[in-house]
Structures are given as structure tokens and as C-alpha cells.
Amino acid sequence: MFGLIGKITVVDGQRDTLMSILLEGTTGMPGCLSYVIAADSGDDNVLWVTEVWDNSESHAASLQLPAVRDAIAKGRPLIAGMTPVATTAPAGGHGL
Amino acid sequence: MFGLIGKITVVDGQRDTLMSILLEGTTGMPGCLSYVIAADSGDDNVLWVTEVWDNSESHAASLQLPAVRDAIAKGRPLIAGMTPVATTAPAGGHGL
């Protein structure tokens, strides 16, 4: 499995809007085992995306999906910064 | 929902052992919506645990479960360091 942990810094006051864009655009992605969009509890302008895919090819392919491309286009103006915190090899767990 | 992102630095060469201990001890936890144990792809001595719970009380209660307590006891000697990277409020996603 292939995993990503990413930290997104959002343009002030736009986190809820960005989260709804991401929630809407990231459903039904082939090979996606887990995709969690979460608000940082300590910083109103940070959100976290944690992902698990069956493999990295599925993740790469997802970036070409119309709904994902649309979400990226809509979301980009609301993003002040993106930090790729970790690339991982998930071993397992609950909810995959 | 309540989420955690944690980075565990493992005693040299012990990551696989610690991951199997965690995998074994973290099943069937009431209120757990997602619990992913993943090896960092860039550092052989780092693993990530990303968690989503229905609420923080369920998470706190899980620490009293016999299997979890057992895993913590077994795993502790293999842990060189733990970094609580983020506490979150998951908004949704896939696999929850």
C-alpha cells in the first residue's frame, strides 16, 4: 500500500470552504482505501489530508480524474501552502 | 470526530516488530473509525499512526482496553521517541 500525510495551510478564513471542495471532489477514486480530510485542532488555517492507496499508480491516476482536477482548480486559490509531511507504506489497521 | 497523527521513532531495526505489535493490539476498538499504521518511506526507523475516532472519549477509553495496554507494554521498549504531530477534527473522507 501507498500512503501520504499532507499538511495544507489555508488562506485565512477559507478552511471550511476548502474542506468542502476536497470532500466533494475526492469520492469514488479507484484504488483509494482511505482518504481523511481533517481540520487541525490547534490552528484554524491548517488542515490535514491522510491518504492510503492500494499503490502509488492509483494515486497518480487519481490526479487525472475530472472531479479531482476540478477540486484542485477550485481549491488552489484557497491554499497558502502545502507541506508533504510523509510518504508511507501502510502496513494495515482499521478502516482500510 | 476526533483524530490524531503521530510519528513514532523506533529503536534501530525494530520497526517491523513494533508494527506487528500495534497491528495485533489495535483491532476491535469501540468508536475507532480509522487506524492506520504505516512505515515512513524515507526513514527505516520511523512509523506513522493516523487515527480517527467518533469522539475523544472513545480514544481515551481505548487506552484502557487490555489488548491496547498489552501492545503499549510490549511496544514501549522498541520506541525511541514519539512526536504528536497533530490533533484534528476530521471532516470526512473515504474509509471512515
Side-chain angles (χ1 to χ4, degrees), chain B residues 13-93:
Chain B
Q14 296 299 318
R15 183 167 69 182
D16 288 346
T17 306
L18 182 58
M19 280 207 291
S20 54
I21 289 170
L22 291 177
L23 284 169
E24 199 184 306
T26 57
T27 57
M29 302 185 290
C32 181
L33 304 174
S34 175
Y35 195 99
V36 178
I37 299 156
D40 188 284
S41 299
D43 185 332
D44 291 345
N45 287 331
V46 168
L47 68 86
W48 294 84
V49 179
T50 52
E51 309 175 37
V52 178
W53 298 82
D54 53 0
N55 53 55
S56 57
E57 289 75 18
S58 293
H59 168 253
S62 74
L63 301 177
Q64 301 311 319
L65 294 169
V68 173
R69 291 170 68 103
D70 189 42
I72 291 171
K74 273 191 217 165
R76 186 173 282 130
L78 310 181
I79 295 174
M82 294 184 75
T83 309
V85 170
T87 301
T88 70

